[in-house]
Amino acid sequence: MEKSIREYLLIWWRQPFEFDWTVRHMRARGVLRVHQVFIGGFSLMYGLTALLTVLGGLVDGGPPGGRVVVLSIAISSAVLGVIWILGPWPTERGSAVFALYADVAVFAVIAWCQDAFTAMPGLALLATNGIYIVIGHGPRALLAHLVFTVLVFGWFYVLAIAQGETSAAVVTVRLLVLLPTVVGVPVIVHSYLLTLRMGAVDALIDPLTRLLNRRGLDVDGEELVLAGEGHVSVLAVDIDKFKTINDSHGHDAGDRVLVAVANAVRDAVSTAGVRAVIARTGGEEFVVVIDAGHRDVLRVAGLVHDALARCDAAVVPTVSIGAATGRIEDGDTVRELIERADTAMYRAKNAGGNRTVTAGDAVAAGD
């Protein structure tokens, strides 16, 4: 169904933007390093542009202190370019500061030029800044950038006419050529990326529980391991007698049970205070990958059982849980741990359910 402009703008404005998710998504697809080199290269070119502005005499006759300011921007832009190329991807705050610096630097270099009309094409660099903000930050950051861009263009338009070096008609033509491009390019790019991002998120998310699906688990599970401290644990969670629930109470009740279990797992992970990735991997099956050792994973399992026991739903479910713990340094992989936890989960189910069994241990933790 075709969306109206108002509906699309509301989706655009309300779309949650997770900086860390974007970084993980690019890293998982092997393009994070490429983006770092591109951004670093553009920063180096900003520095070169500022340097040539000084060497070309464009700031001579402009506001006082222009050479010092523009040379400082040239040096700092070059340094930032090297940091981007050789260093790690910045934090969300560091990225926001970089975006703010880029906008202010473009304005400052042009503001210290003698002739506003001659310098106005340099404002096209704001389009590049806008594209970076589109990739690294959300719609609110882009809107702030666009407001800044329009104000800057208005400032230089008025200044160019006041200086009288060129007729008002020619200055207006330059404004009308530059402004739609500088504003429009980031907006169009953001529109396309928003659509693609929504599709990418949907491809990784289970629509009922809003947990990750199996594909999302593969992506975020590996990322969790890479950022972890060595110990990795897995819980395989399966709802007991789920088919009976569906047959006796209907599929709507079954869906409510799935959501209740998903919420119980979320709450358990939050209460335990551990870093984890949670996914619904099958009809009534869930997997939790936890950046923690044996004691913490059993605590999470216990919290899941406790949360479900307190559930006030019409159908109170129980779950069978299998737990496995390993160390990536020892050659364990997430997939192997999931298989071991899954085997332990079936032992828990065969022992009557509503309990946790650890891989390699035939005794249910709930006994």
Side-chain angles (χ1 to χ4, degrees):
M1 181 178 178
E2 192 69 24
K3 290 181 174 60
S4 67
I5 294 177
R6 179 178 179 277
E7 289 174 327
Y8 188 80
L9 288 175
L10 285 175
I11 292 173
W12 173 76
W13 184 251
R14 295 171 179 171
Q15 181 71 17
F17 191 92
E18 298 179 11
F19 180 84
D20 292 338
W21 182 92
T22 302
V23 175
R24 291 198 308 269
H25 188 73
M26 290 193 293
R27 181 180 287 120
R29 280 149 184 79
V31 298
L32 190 65
R33 181 65 187 155
V34 174
H35 279 77
Q36 283 185 246
V37 173
F38 281 163
I39 295 168
F42 280 121
S43 188
L44 289 172
M45 283 190 284
Y46 276 30
L48 179 60
T49 301
L51 178 62
L52 292 176
T53 299
V54 174
L55 296 179
L58 294 178
V59 297
D60 296 341
R67 293 180 67 89
V68 174
V69 171
V70 177
L71 279 175
S72 298
I73 292 172
I75 295 170
S76 59
S77 295
V79 171
L80 286 172
V82 173
I83 292 174
W84 266 105
I85 293 172
L86 300 181
W89 191 273
T91 62
E92 183 173 7
R93 178 175 294 182
S95 176
V97 171
F98 173 76
L100 178 62
Y101 164 83
D103 274 357
V104 172
V106 169
F107 171 76
V109 170
I110 298 174
W112 260 272
C113 288
Q114 178 182 7
D115 184 355
F117 176 78
T118 301
M120 274 180 71
L123 294 175
L125 292 174
L126 291 173
T128 305
N129 298 354
I131 293 174
Y132 173 80
I133 291 171
V134 163
I135 295 173
H137 299 277
R140 290 166 177 77
L142 177 60
L143 180 60
H145 164 78
L146 295 178
V147 170
F148 174 80
T149 298
V150 171
L151 292 176
V152 166
F153 265 93
W155 168 273
F156 282 102
Y157 175 71
V158 172
L159 186 60
I161 291 178
Q163 289 177 344
E165 298 293 331
T166 309
S167 69
V170 174
V171 175
T172 302
V173 168
R174 176 162 287 185
L175 174 75
L176 294 176
V177 169
L178 285 172
L179 184 59
T181 302
V182 175
V183 171
V185 168
V187 170
I188 292 172
V189 171
H190 190 274
S191 177
Y192 283 122
L193 286 182
L194 173 61
T195 303
L196 292 173
R197 186 177 186 274
M198 290 167 64
V201 170
D202 289 343
L204 301 176
I205 298 295
D206 170 53
L208 176 63
T209 62
R210 304 309 298 170
L211 297 176
L212 295 170
N213 57 22
R214 188 178 295 274
R215 183 180 176 189
L217 175 65
D218 290 340
V219 173
D220 283 15
E222 291 298 329
E223 188 68 26
L224 180 74
V225 169
L226 290 174
E229 299 179 356
H231 281 102
V232 178
S233 299
V234 171
L235 292 178
V237 182
D238 190 274
I239 302 173
D240 296 326
K241 301 177 181 178
F242 185 69
K243 185 177 185 303
T244 302
I245 294 174
N246 272 333
D247 292 343
S248 302
H249 302 276
H251 289 283
D252 286 344
D255 286 347
R256 288 193 292 273
V257 165
L258 288 168
V259 173
V261 172
N263 290 338
V265 176
R266 284 193 188 95
D267 292 344
V269 167
S270 177
T271 301
V274 294
R275 296 176 61 250
V277 171
I278 311 169
R280 179 188 174 197
T281 56
E284 68 269 27
E285 300 171 1
F286 301 82
V287 168
V288 188
V289 181
I290 304 173
D291 179 25
H294 183 69
R295 179 179 300 178
D296 287 324
V297 76
L298 290 183
R299 180 169 178 241
V300 172
L303 289 169
V304 172
H305 288 300
D306 292 343
L308 291 175
R310 297 191 304 270
C311 180
D312 59 358
V315 180
V316 178
T318 62
V319 292
S320 297
I321 302 178
T325 301
R327 288 184 62 86
I328 301 304
E329 289 86 347
D330 297 335
D332 294 316
T333 66
V334 173
R335 181 55 51 194
E336 289 171 346
L337 291 174
I338 291 174
E339 291 175 357
R340 287 161 53 190
D342 203 49
T343 299
M345 179 270 293
Y346 279 109
R347 290 209 305 273
K349 190 172 286 289
N350 291 334
N354 194 24
R355 66 193 67 204
T356 298
V357 170
T358 302
D361 185 356
V363 179
D367 288 350

